[in-house]
Amino acid sequence: MPKQVTSPREIAAKESRAILRRAIRLALDTESAAVRRNTRSFNLNRYRATAALPDYDALKDEARRIKEHALVNRKALIQRLSESVTRNGGHFFFARDAQEARQYIQDVCKRHRVRSLVKGKSMTSEEIHLNGALQRDGIRVVETDLAEFILQAADEQPSHIIAPAIHYSRERITALFRRKFQTDLPLDTGENLTRFARERLRKDFLAADAGITGANLVSADCGSLLLVESEANIRLTCIAPPLHIALSGFEKIVPSRREFAPFIELLAASATGQPLTSYTSVIRPPLAVPVVDFRGAGPATREFHLVILDNGREALAQDAQLKEALYCIRCSACLNSCANFQVLGGHGFGGATYSGGIGATWEAATTGQLKLARFSDLCTGCSRCVPQCPVRIDIPGLNVELRSRLNQSVPLSLAARAMHLLLSASPLEHASAQQIFFAHYDRAARWGTLFAPLSNFF
Ligand code: SF4
């Protein structure tokens, strides 16, 4: 008997339409109301913030141009970045895949006898399944972003790029904290919940042997990282422990810090709807700030490692139809503006790591498995997201291409063949029976009128 699927984590990899359907039903039952409320508020804030940008369109053009140029010159930029990081006194590693990236980080942690580490929110670390690997080495991994802290307590994967716990209501978080942490402290307001998490996390920051972060952008000429966040936990992750490891895909590299400027404005406005995100840091590690001996382990020196990841990105860069996904700055505007995402969230409309319309290309590219982009079916191609994207990505276009490749990769079913014959579809239309039916509903309607009593009966 097949195992009963009960949680979004178990159905993260939606390889078939049947699993996708189960994920959708589960998301509708348990997560829809919170996702609707939270995406609505993101949208209202974004409308206000982008309307207040006098040069919004020019900024988008500039951001797109920077990304296109950086992608064409990626090999030279990676080389330049590696020289900059080494010159600064840091260590540079280029990981061809998830396994190499994990292994490198595990080895660094072993050399430093890391027993406990703190993490800033990083989708790239989710992509390479870093936490599990470190935990198997006996390392205590603490997520310090409030939403990630909630998900770690719940043992769930993120459902949104910038608000990983968007599917949680305040009431659900209160119940989760009570259950997980066995506490009677007041937890009935957002302030109480935040204070509770902050007090627990403070001890973890002070005890951590290492900090792991991602990066929003990386400058090749001087090895600086742009870190955009709302809670300052990433700043502390870089600065409290003596060892800092940053992990980033190569698509985040730009030539210099000058190119950070349009993204700082666009990211804040498109993501949280702020003129500037609460904490925007540009750092050039290893930081010159002395290491404070919180752990009582004697004087330590700062060490910095930058891991730049390929993991399917090079193949994506060489794919003429899909490469524009690499311009994505992970602002989430396309997710929030999508009617289907607004009712499902990323557990229904997403894969194991990436979600929403843009997530399907990322999921396929970084796993190397086209079938894991099955959730691209949920993009209706309405194009509502396109004007919201700060780098002008044609997200529906990516999904049409993915669907076409997915359809071509499986043989036509009997029902699809019958539909082909009945509706005189072109032999090029390699799709499911349902898709062929809806693509030619006018012809189906003509058949229907010829046999009206039968059609009405059906
Ligand atoms: S595709 Fe565009 S709108 Fe969507 S997350 Fe990426 S940058 Fe933002």
Side-chain angles (χ1 to χ4, degrees):
M1 194 172 148
K3 186 173 169 281
Q4 187 67 36
V5 175
T6 54
S7 80
R9 175 173 278 278
E10 289 175 87
I11 47 184
K14 303 174 187 68
E15 298 176 22
S16 69
R17 287 211 169 82
I19 303 180
L20 181 57
R21 268 198 298 275
R22 284 208 292 275
I24 290 171
R25 289 203 186 104
L26 190 62
L28 285 173
D29 285 347
T30 56
E31 302 181 349
S32 188
V35 176
R36 263 177 202 267
R37 193 172 47 248
N38 292 326
T39 49
R40 184 165 188 271
S41 124
F42 273 129
N43 284 330
L44 291 175
N45 291 340
R46 190 183 64 255
Y47 297 148
R48 268 196 293 269
T50 51
L53 283 173
D55 47 358
Y56 182 41
D57 277 316
L59 277 175
K60 283 162 77 168
D61 289 339
E62 194 187 350
R64 173 81 184 204
R65 188 190 52 72
I66 292 169
K67 282 287 188 177
E68 284 177 357
H69 174 267
L71 194 66
V72 169
N73 296 290
R74 61 192 177 280
K75 293 200 175 135
L77 288 175
I78 292 168
Q79 177 59 33
R80 198 152 177 225
L81 175 63
S82 100
E83 290 160 10
S84 302
V85 171
T86 313
R87 194 173 53 241
N88 293 342
H91 304 262
F92 179 90
F93 181 71
F94 184 83
R96 282 170 301 178
D97 56 26
Q99 163 62 25
E100 276 193 6
R102 279 195 306 267
Q103 196 57 57
Y104 180 83
I105 295 171
Q106 287 173 274
D107 289 347
V108 172
C109 288
K110 267 186 206 138
R111 272 205 307 282
H112 283 260
R113 295 193 168 82
V114 172
R115 283 163 298 157
S116 146
L117 65 79
V118 281
K119 271 185 75 215
K121 186 172 85 59
S122 156
M123 291 304 291
T124 315
S125 77
E126 296 280 341
E127 174 190 319
I128 65 166
H129 306 294
L130 183 59
N131 287 13
L134 293 170
Q135 282 160 344
R136 282 191 290 280
D137 286 347
I139 296 173
R140 184 165 175 267
V141 179
V142 181
E143 292 286 355
T144 63
D145 174 87
L146 181 58
E148 291 281 3
F149 177 81
I150 294 165
L151 295 185
Q152 196 171 34
D155 190 26
E156 282 182 27
Q157 91 270 19
S159 67
H160 189 271
I161 313 177
I162 64 154
I166 197 169
H167 56 289
Y168 264 82
S169 62
R170 207 264 304 138
E171 291 76 12
R172 272 187 77 200
I173 302 170
T174 301
L176 170 71
F177 280 14
R178 289 221 183 284
R179 200 171 58 243
K180 178 79 185 180
F181 302 112
Q182 301 287 311
T183 174
D184 291 326
L185 288 170
L187 294 175
D188 295 325
T189 64
E191 287 75 16
N192 285 339
L193 288 166
T194 310
R195 188 175 307 117
F196 176 80
R198 192 175 56 208
E199 276 163 20
R200 286 188 73 92
L201 287 171
R202 186 169 296 148
K203 295 186 199 115
D204 294 318
F205 276 118
L206 300 185
D209 304 303
I212 297 185
T213 68
N216 293 94
L217 287 175
V218 185
S219 76
D221 67 336
C222 62
S224 290
L225 311 181
L226 171 68
L227 301 164
V228 176
E229 53 164 335
S230 300
E231 299 166 15
N233 61 307
I234 296 182
R235 275 189 185 177
L236 263 177
T237 303
C238 300
I239 216 164
L243 170 65
H244 174 200
I245 304 169
L247 169 69
S248 165
F250 70 60
E251 78 283 4
K252 307 269 183 72
I253 307 173
V254 291
S256 72
R257 285 186 294 196
R258 194 182 299 275
E259 282 77 32
F260 289 177
F263 294 100
I264 290 174
E265 281 192 88
L266 284 171
L267 194 51
S270 310
T272 51
Q274 293 167 292
L276 189 65
T277 310
S278 313
Y279 299 91
T280 301
S281 312
V282 178
I283 61 167
R284 193 166 60 179
L287 296 174
V289 189
V291 177
V292 182
D293 184 17
F294 293 124
R295 291 153 295 274
T301 48
R302 280 198 181 281
E303 194 166 306
F304 172 66
H305 294 255
L306 177 61
V307 180
I308 292 291
L309 182 65
D310 177 342
N311 200 34
R313 288 163 174 79
E314 183 54 38
L316 188 55
Q318 292 179 27
D319 187 320
Q321 276 80 37
L322 300 180
K323 71 175 177 189
E324 63 172 334
L326 286 165
Y327 307 149
C328 175
I329 58 169
R330 306 209 176 145
C331 71
S332 81
C334 58
L335 280 64
N336 301 327
S337 59
C338 171
N340 281 347
F341 190 91
Q342 285 167 15
V343 291
L344 285 177
H347 287 162
F349 191 171
T353 304
Y354 295 104
S355 52
I358 188 64
T361 306
W362 274 95
E363 202 70 26
T366 56
T367 59
Q369 296 189 65
L370 187 58
K371 64 184 177 185
L372 296 183
R374 172 58 68 196
F375 65 91
S376 62
D377 273 354
L378 291 171
C379 170
T380 56
C382 75
S383 297
R384 190 181 183 181
C385 55
V386 179
Q388 308 298 326
C389 176
V391 275
R392 303 193 187 282
I393 298 176
D394 177 8
I395 300 146
L398 297 175
N399 288 319
V400 167
E401 178 63 26
L402 281 173
R403 267 203 295 270
S404 159
R405 292 184 193 185
L406 267 165
N407 289 336
Q408 298 290 338
S409 70
V410 290
L412 273 184
S413 68
L414 262 179
R417 282 171 208 272
M419 205 58 81
H420 252 275
L421 279 177
L422 197 64
L423 302 180
S424 320
S426 148
L428 295 175
E429 289 179 62
H430 198 101
S432 71
Q434 196 185 32
Q435 286 165 329
I436 297 168
F437 176 83
F438 282 110
H440 300 286
Y441 64 89
D442 53 331
R443 292 180 206 166
R446 246 176 275 139
W447 274 103
T449 20
L450 284 178
F451 302 99
L454 192 63
S455 313
N456 288 341
F457 170 78
F458 276 112

